Amino acid sequence: MDIKKIVEYQRVDSKLFQIERQLSQSVNKQKCAQLSSIARDSQVKSAKLEEQAAQIAKEIQDLFRIADQNKLKIKEILAQDVEKMSAEQIDSSLALREKLMQNLAILDKKATKLAELANAVLSDFNKTKVNYKNAGEKYKECKEAYDKEVAAMTPKIQELQSELKKLANEVDPKLLEEYNKRRHDRIFPVFVSLNDKCCGGCHMEVPASSISKLKKEGILVCENCRRIIYND
């Protein structure tokens, strides 16, 4: 089996692979990913804080409603004509008034705690908004820088892609199919030579029986790294 064409194809493709790896490892691209994650987390946190704030507001509103009901009852008690009430009724009214006053004190403490919690949530929400804004601005800067990197590499990428397209017409379709499968899985180089009875990719020793098969069929798939071994 003649594999010279696919080896030549791989030689050209290796240049493209290096560019792809360089761009994938770009500091600006990595920063973009980090900042994008921060922005998403900030959005999720903001939504949760808004829900929490809404719940606190509802609880405070409920406390005020209950407090108003207690105040109304106290007002009704104070408006009673004690001259027309028995001593037992007066004692009962005074006990109820005291209970309502205690309730108001408890409600006031709860309202104070909820107000403090609301302020803490608001402060956290404002910080989260600032983090989101800062992440967005920094993301824009890094994205612009990365786009410039890509733009600088694009002519060379297009040149290599054009060369690969021409070479692909001369390569055995089955070999190219196997090549592209592994290339897609980030296995590179795909085709490696047999070096001193070892795979030229992972350097694992190839069994004697497999070497015999390699000499007979021209290629052999490495059981360890899935690369395709060929015999020079």
Side-chain angles (χ1 to χ4, degrees), residues 139-152:
Y139 175 86
K140 184 178 180 181
E141 293 175 5
C142 291
K143 183 65 166 59
E144 289 176 353
Y146 177 68
D147 287 343
K148 288 181 181 179
E149 291 181 47
V150 174

Side-chain angles (χ1 to χ4, degrees), residues 101-115:
M101 292 295 290
Q102 290 175 0
N103 288 344
L104 285 175
I106 293 172
L107 291 171
D108 184 62
K109 288 181 180 179
K110 288 183 177 179
T112 299
K113 288 183 179 180
L114 285 172

Side-chain angles (χ1 to χ4, degrees), residues 6-21:
I6 192 67
V7 172
E8 174 62 17
Y9 182 94
Q10 178 174 263
R11 185 190 68 78
V12 175
D13 193 26
S14 66
K15 298 177 183 178
L16 183 60
F17 186 85
Q18 290 297 324
I19 293 174
E20 290 174 353
R21 185 166 62 178

